[in-house]
Each structure stands twice: as structure tokens, then as C-alpha cells.
Amino acid sequence: MALTGRAALIAALGSIPIGIWEPGWTGILAVNAPLAVACACDFALAAPVRRLGLTRSGDTSARLGETADVTLTVTNPSGRPLRAHIRDAWPPSSWQPGTEVEASRHRLTVPAGERRRLTTRLRPTRRGDRQADRVTFRSYGPLGLFSRQGTHKVPWTVRVLPPFTSRKHLPAKLARLRELDGRTSVLTRGEGTEFDSLREYVPGDDTRSIDWRATARQTSVAVRTWRPERDRHILVVLDTGRTSAGRVGDAPRLDASMDAALLLAALASRAGDRVDLLAYDRGVRALVQGRTAKDLLPALVGAMTTLEPELVETNARGLTATALRTAPRRSLIVLLTSLDAAPIEEGLMPVLPQLTQRHTVLLASVADPQIARMATARGNTDAIYEAAAAAQAQTERDRTAEQLRRHGVTVVDATPDDLAPALADAYLALKAAGRL
């Protein structure tokens, strides 16, 4: 119970001439009995806060960057009206910076024996679970001189999901997939793909696709059309080690990798392929296997929501061994990791042959757009040094990518905004070439 009206009382008594003051609070109240009575009545009329009934309802999940509304229902069982200032406390990452005070504080009046609702609007800035902390009430009397204060625990959790911003690219990638899959008039031929149908030859067709037996049975030249093979296995491996914690723009590299993985999974599942997910650094952080196309994306989003980068060096041997156990048959292994020279040359390169001899390997990495901007900087000495450093960093990155390509790895190196569509294009290119 906080006597917050004491300052108001002292201010009111400050106008009394010094000569009539008596020692102690007894004397003070004696010379200003009406004010003392008013304060006592104000305190007595303030509704108690310990007996309040509190329940929550509202959103239990939201995508990162979107809002979530959580409603608090306040029931006042006492015979006095509740006039309260309320703070609904959540973790700082539940709001955009600078908006917490306005979003978490409310004023509410609840008549005796009634209930009222107030809504706290969250706008989380990080993935994961955001749990309500405490609800603090400060109940005032009708004059506002004194208040009662109390705190309640009212549990509620809002799960903040990955934003999946790259889903805007899905319609265009599905259109390309339909072309490859033979469901439109544009049919392609690729080594190792499945035979689809016969059609009449048109100028420009690959002569290797002519079906001579079918041509002999009819008056026109017949060519075979092909479609990519279906029901292939894709294992998406998220490196959650220290390099994934590096921030590019406003988010860690891991978030951009997740976004790319979601677009690839959505596209591959529409193509009839099976997609699994493995998140690893020095141990398995998440594993999604055997999901149907309908359940795949919700399962992936659920597994990714609470993933955070670990500030440890990724165990490349352990990652490789776990990937081989997870994908015992020939598969496409998509490794979302860093393209920095040291982790690749010292960690991945020695164990890479174990993957490439059994699987098709695609490595995708998040590039920092700031390096490209630095490389073009000019105008003063500092800018020139920055440009030289950026050029050196890009040269090392290109050299590492070339080493991987010589081992048969397809490499995608793109900025966060471009990584997801670039990875989807690489997948479609491998499918069209019959390499899955």
C-alpha cells in the first residue's frame, strides 16, 4: 500500500503560518482536520486491488513485424468503484523501441461489481515466445490524494513466428515450376528427367529429343517432352553456430537463412518433393522429418520460431554425420551457412567429400550488402581504405565459393533480400537439369 497522497498533503499544509505548527504529525493534522478527514476518506474509498479478478484472452501468435492484441479482463468484486492506473508489463522486445510506455500503461474505471476490458497491443521485434510479466494496479480514491497499489501475475504467451517475407516470390517460382513440370505449353528436356508426352517438332527443338520410332509411325516428326522427377528428398540444414549470429542490416544472418528455407520448402513441396529440416551447431537444435505437404510449413515455422544462434563454432564433422544419418538415400542437401574462408576451409572442406559422393550439395550464404557499398566508396582517404578492405573481403569470398564449386557444390551467395529467390532459382535449375 503506497501513501502517494502524502506529497499532496504536505503541499496543502505548506501554506499554514509557521507560528501555529505543532511538533509531529499530530499537531499538523490537528490544525488542518478537514484535510486530514478528506485524505482518510479518500484512502478508504479507494477500491482494494488484491481481490481483483483478472483473466486474459486474445492473440497467441503473430508474425514478426505484425501486431498482437492481448485483452485483460478486470473484475471488481468490491463495493467501491475502481479508478486505476494500470501497467501491463511485457519483455522490452514486445514493442518497437520508444513505444513501451504508451502501449503498456492504461487508465481504467470499473464500477462496483462489474468488469471491464482493456487491450494491450504488442508489436514484437524478435522471434520466440513473449510472456506476460506482471500487471500493476494503482487504485485511487475519488479525490486522487491517496492510492492502493498491488501487483498480480496473469500468465499469457504470444509466440512470435518468422515473418516469411519471401512468400511474395512464391507465385513467380510456382509459374516456373509449372513450366518445368509440363503443366503448361512450355516443356523442357533435361538429362535424367521423367518422360512426359510426345508432341510435334517445332523449329528450335533439341534434335536429341526426337523420338524416331514414333516419327516412323506418323507423318510428322515427334519429339519427347520431359518433366522433372518428383518425390525427391531435400534436406535443409541450418547452421546455427556463431557465424549465423552476425547481423546484416537489422537482423541476424540466421533469420535470412530461415526465410530462404521457408520459400524453398514451400516450392519443393508443391513440386512433390519431400523436405526435411535439420538445425545444427554442436548438436541438433531442431529436426523436422516426414511431414506431408500440408503440414510441412506449419511444422517448419514452429521449429524455427525459438531457434537462436549459439555463440560456438559449428562442429562440421558432427553436422556432416548427422546429415548423412538423416538422409540415408541420395538427396539434395541445402546447407545454409557462412561463406567465410576460415569456417569453410578448416571445418567444412575436409568433410565435404562425404556429402558430395552420396548427395547433391547446394550451399547458400547471406552476403552483406554493406561490402558492395564500401567497395564503390571514393572521395577521401578513409573511403579508399574501406573500398580496399571490401574488395579484399569479396575476393576471399569469391575464392572460397570457387573452391566449393570445384568440389561439385552449387553455391548461392546473395544479400538477405535476394537470398530466398536466388535459392529457389538454384533449386529449379538443378531440377531442370535432372540433378536431383
Side-chain angles (χ1 to χ4, degrees), residues 189-191 198 201 204-212 221-226:
R189 180 187 187 279
E191 181 183 354
L198 294 172
Y201 175 86
D205 283 339
D206 190 341
T207 56
R208 292 176 296 176
S209 64
I210 296 176
D211 189 317
W212 296 107
V221 178
V223 296
R224 295 174 179 172
T225 59
W226 306 80

Side-chain angles (χ1 to χ4, degrees), residues 387-412:
Q392 182 179 0
Q394 188 59 51
T395 299
E396 291 180 356
R397 199 173 181 88
D398 293 341
R399 179 174 58 82
T400 302
E402 186 57 35
Q403 286 180 323
L404 291 167
R405 292 188 181 100
R406 286 200 296 267
H407 284 77
V409 178
T410 301
V411 178
V412 175

Side-chain angles (χ1 to χ4, degrees), residues 211-281:
D211 189 317
W212 296 107
R213 290 187 179 181
T215 299
R217 294 194 296 267
Q218 57 190 41
T219 58
S220 58
V221 178
V223 296
R224 295 174 179 172
T225 59
W226 306 80
R227 62 183 176 185
E229 295 174 306
R230 301 174 69 85
D231 196 29
R232 291 299 182 245
H233 182 223
I234 299 170
L235 176 61
V236 179
V237 181
L238 284 174
D239 180 356
T240 56
R242 65 169 184 83
T243 56
S244 67
R247 300 187 73 85
V248 178
D250 295 330
R253 282 186 167 90
L254 181 59
D255 284 29
S257 297
M258 289 179 179
D259 193 54
L262 288 173
L263 180 63
L264 175 63
L267 180 61
S269 62
R270 297 286 187 92
D273 293 333
R274 294 174 293 109
V275 181
D276 293 338
L277 171 74
L278 169 66
Y280 193 96
D281 42 71

Side-chain angles (χ1 to χ4, degrees), residues 29-90:
L29 295 178
V31 298
N32 208 341
L35 182 58
V37 172
C39 290
C41 293
D42 195 50
F43 174 75
L45 293 174
V49 296
R50 292 184 179 180
R51 294 169 49 205
L52 294 176
L54 303 173
T55 58
R56 289 193 188 271
S57 60
D59 295 332
T60 57
S61 65
R63 292 193 179 276
L64 183 64
E66 298 178 353
T67 59
D69 291 340
V70 180
T71 299
L72 179 69
T73 302
V74 181
T75 303
N76 178 16
S78 73
R80 287 162 279 176
L82 173 69
R83 307 171 186 87
H85 292 181
I86 302 169
R87 180 174 184 257
D88 190 2
W90 291 74

